[in-house]
Amino acid sequence: MIINELQVLHVRNLTSVSINPNQQFNYLYGENGAGKTALLEAVHLLARGRSFRGRRIAPIIQTGERSLLVRAELADGHSLGISRDRSGKTELHVDRAEARRLSDAAALLPVHLILPDVSQLIFGGPGERRQCLDWGMFHVKQGYLSAHRKYLAALRQRNAILKSWNEAGSRAAIDAWTETVCREAETVHDYRCEYVSGLIPHFQAALAGLEAGFAIELAYKSGWGEEELAKVLGDSLDNDVKLGSTGAGPHRADLSLKVADRDAGVTLSRGQGKLVAIGLILAQAQLLKDRTGQRSVFLIDDLGAELDGAHGARMLTLLRSSGCQVISTSTRPPSEEFVALFGRGNFAMFHVKQGQINAVA
């Protein structure tokens, strides 16, 4: 779902901002510290309940204010609103009715981040890729969120027994919770395998569109290898007791990215890693659109920092053809060639200065 109107109050240096974004491309430019990234942060906060800069809310709320507020009118008449105060209290409204679950807002506003450190998706740890995978599945696979929550709940119970292990009283309990963990793990595993299978052709198409110049093999790693999870957990019980946590399962899963049978994270250059990461994000947005018809919102900070000129232009071409809404930032005004890439009817420009955002004709 794309944003038709956006209102931001007391987010960092944005005291009171209202804009009407273009349905396709929005270009915010201004000096560093003007408030460009704060607007992206506000959209992310609305969609996911938190900033992409960290979980703490106090640094995001404008100095001297007790709370922040972000509202949006979406396509097809939907609306979202979120307020958060310094104590962490959150009030959420979906279609002008109070909502309790942040997932209700997230379901209406799928967002994808392309930040200057986007290559961490490739070079960072498995947690980065699991989070990317889980958000992609949340929007595409009905039932995945519930299955994932059930697995995590069972995992917490098993870990609690491991932490307070007593051989006499814990054996029967650990066997029962291990069985539950394995059952819920298989459900999560099946969801993820199906999703990644559907993602692969879109990923390959995105890399081709970016003209990456190298082949990448994408696969899903379960988090416990080829054996049955029950056997793996049984064999590793002593070690799990020692550590006080479960060492195998979907919470240890990863996306495998290989270049000529070698791990992409140790093979690719920084620039190549950015290409692969952006290709993966573009693929997720395309899969979402194909499966559900939903258009994503891309939040791109410091446009031009991600890729060189030629690859950046190809990324923009793919974004244009995707039909997604883009909100991007830069320290420089766009060139005529840049504007022409989207066409003036599909392009809006905003100047950001000292917390004020003004549309530029």
Side-chain angles (χ1 to χ4, degrees):
M1 206 73 66
I2 62 173
I3 299 171
N4 288 337
E5 300 176 25
L6 179 67
Q7 182 183 21
V8 180
L9 300 176
H10 309 310
V11 174
R12 297 199 188 268
N13 66 337
L14 302 180
T15 301
S16 179
V17 166
S18 295
I19 66 170
N20 297 98
N22 187 281
Q23 292 197 2
Q24 286 205 8
F25 202 94
N26 299 274
Y27 190 104
L28 284 69
Y29 72 94
E31 296 179 354
N32 290 327
K36 306 182 301 296
T37 304
L39 187 87
L40 303 187
E41 203 172 6
V43 175
H44 192 272
L45 184 71
L46 182 65
R48 297 192 180 178
R50 54 163 289 185
S51 165
F52 51 75
R53 291 177 170 178
R55 292 188 177 275
R56 292 184 61 225
I57 193 64
I60 307 171
I61 300 172
Q62 190 172 41
T63 302
E65 298 295 335
R66 297 181 60 185
S67 62
L68 60 78
L69 173 67
V70 186
R71 293 194 188 107
E73 297 294 326
L74 308 180
D76 298 333
H78 290 287
S79 66
L80 294 176
I82 188 170
S83 68
R84 294 197 65 182
D85 66 20
R86 291 187 179 276
S87 71
K89 180 183 177 182
T90 301
E91 291 185 8
L92 179 68
H93 286 81
V94 176
D95 293 338
R96 295 174 180 80
E98 187 173 354
R100 293 185 178 181
R101 298 178 300 181
L102 291 171
S103 58
D104 293 339
L108 285 177
L109 188 59
V111 296
H112 300 278
L113 282 172
I114 299 181
L115 305 178
D117 65 349
V118 67
S119 62
Q120 281 300 106
L121 187 56
I122 308 305
F123 300 118
E128 299 261 358
R129 292 179 288 279
R130 277 197 305 274
Q131 185 180 62
C132 179
L133 176 64
D134 285 337
W135 272 113
M137 293 191 57
F138 166 76
H139 289 293
V140 168
K141 302 294 293 182
Q142 291 289 327
Y144 176 72
L145 179 61
S146 175
H148 192 239
R149 284 173 171 170
K150 288 179 180 178
Y151 169 72
L152 292 179
L155 183 67
R156 283 192 293 270
Q157 292 291 339
R158 187 177 194 270
N159 287 343
I161 297 168
L162 293 170
K163 285 182 174 69
S164 59
W165 184 261
N166 177 291
E167 184 65 35
S170 298
R171 190 72 207 201
I174 203 71
D175 288 345
W177 279 111
T178 297
E179 182 180 347
T180 304
V181 163
C182 291
R183 183 176 65 250
E184 302 300 343
E186 286 297 334
T187 303
V188 170
H189 177 72
D190 289 345
Y191 270 120
R192 286 177 172 176
C193 285
E194 196 279 335
Y195 177 81
V196 173
S197 177
L199 186 65
I200 289 171
H202 293 293
F203 176 60
Q204 299 300 342
L207 287 183
L210 291 168
E211 296 185 22
F214 52 87
I216 291 275
E217 181 183 344
L218 173 65
Y220 175 64
K221 294 168 64 175
S222 66
W224 65 85
E226 298 299 322
E227 293 184 302
E228 292 290 326
L229 179 58
K231 183 179 187 309
V232 173
L233 292 181
D235 292 345
S236 63
L237 179 59
D238 289 343
N239 193 55
D240 285 356
V241 169
K242 189 179 192 180
L243 295 175
S245 64
T246 304
H251 63 292
R252 300 292 188 192
D254 198 359
L255 283 176
S256 170
L257 293 147
K258 299 281 189 181
V259 181
D261 293 328
R262 296 187 63 197
D263 181 47
V266 298
T267 303
L268 299 179
S269 69
R270 190 63 55 176
Q272 289 173 324
K274 287 183 176 182
L275 272 180
V276 174
I278 290 170
L280 190 59
I281 295 167
L282 288 167
Q284 287 191 302
Q286 192 59 53
L287 179 59
L288 172 63
K289 187 179 178 185
D290 285 359
R291 293 278 181 91
T292 71
Q294 273 194 301
R295 295 165 62 185
S296 298
V297 176
F298 275 79
L299 305 176
I300 307 179
D301 197 22
D302 196 8
L303 185 68
E306 292 78 23
L307 302 171
D308 60 50
H311 285 114
R314 294 182 192 115
M315 176 186 75
L316 293 173
T317 299
L318 290 174
L319 285 169
R320 181 187 61 187
S321 63
S322 73
C324 293
Q325 185 179 46
V326 179
I327 305 175
S328 69
T329 73
S330 177
T331 56
R332 300 183 300 274
S335 65
E336 284 293 326
E337 292 79 11
F338 188 100
V339 177
L341 184 65
F342 281 86
R344 294 190 180 275
N346 300 318
F347 187 93
M349 183 165 45
F350 300 87
H351 184 224
V352 188
K353 185 176 181 179
Q354 296 179 345
Q356 298 296 313
I357 302 180
N358 296 302
V360 178

